[in-house]
Amino acid sequence: MLTATTTPEHELPSFTARFASTPRGARLARRLAVRRMEEWGHPPASDASCAVALVVGELAANAVRHGRAPGHDFRLRLVLDAAADLVRVEVADAAAKRPPTAPPSACPEGESGRGLLLVDVLAVRWGTESRRPVGKTVWAEVPTGASHHA
């Protein structure tokens, strides 16, 4: 089920959609995030769009892999804060277990475990919040402009 929201002029532009907690749902979330970034003036090949796509992909994959609960979808929300040169990515799932507060050190030979490392590198900050009545939201703020590059 896909639901896009429109925002009044006094609010920041945003996009919200629900996806099946499946690998296909995670892929669709990533594709729609790239499309929304393009609508917000960041072409698919831009650094900002690529970074948001990677963060959405990792957080959505984690929601599917670790946050899946029978009968529950996951939710993606993107908020563009042009004044701060940021896109806030939020992925909410139905599992109460939170990810680590710092990215785990991945085994170089391992086939997984690098998702939060990528998020940590691409985002200026990230974290988790509890959801009521159940679940959590993992969020990351991804820079969109040159002001965040040192």
Side-chain angles (χ1 to χ4, degrees), residues 28-126:
L28 180 58
R30 182 179 167 142
R31 278 198 299 267
L32 291 179
V34 169
R35 184 179 303 160
R36 182 55 50 143
M37 289 296 292
E38 186 171 26
E39 290 172 8
W40 287 341
H42 300 279
S46 69
D47 289 345
S49 182
C50 289
V52 166
L54 282 170
V55 169
V56 168
E58 292 302 331
L59 297 184
N62 283 348
V64 168
R65 189 174 299 117
H66 305 294
R68 189 177 192 174
H72 292 277
D73 297 334
F74 74 90
R75 179 183 57 92
L76 169 67
R77 182 170 185 249
L78 304 174
V79 180
L80 175 65
D81 187 341
D85 290 328
L86 293 172
V87 170
R88 182 175 170 104
V89 175
E90 299 176 355
V91 175
D93 62 50
K97 184 179 179 193
R98 291 182 173 205
T101 56
S105 42
C107 174
E109 295 82 30
E111 292 185 19
S112 65
R114 293 182 187 86
L116 290 180
L117 287 171
L118 274 172
V119 171
D120 194 54
V121 168
L122 295 171
V124 292
R125 68 189 145 267
W126 65 277

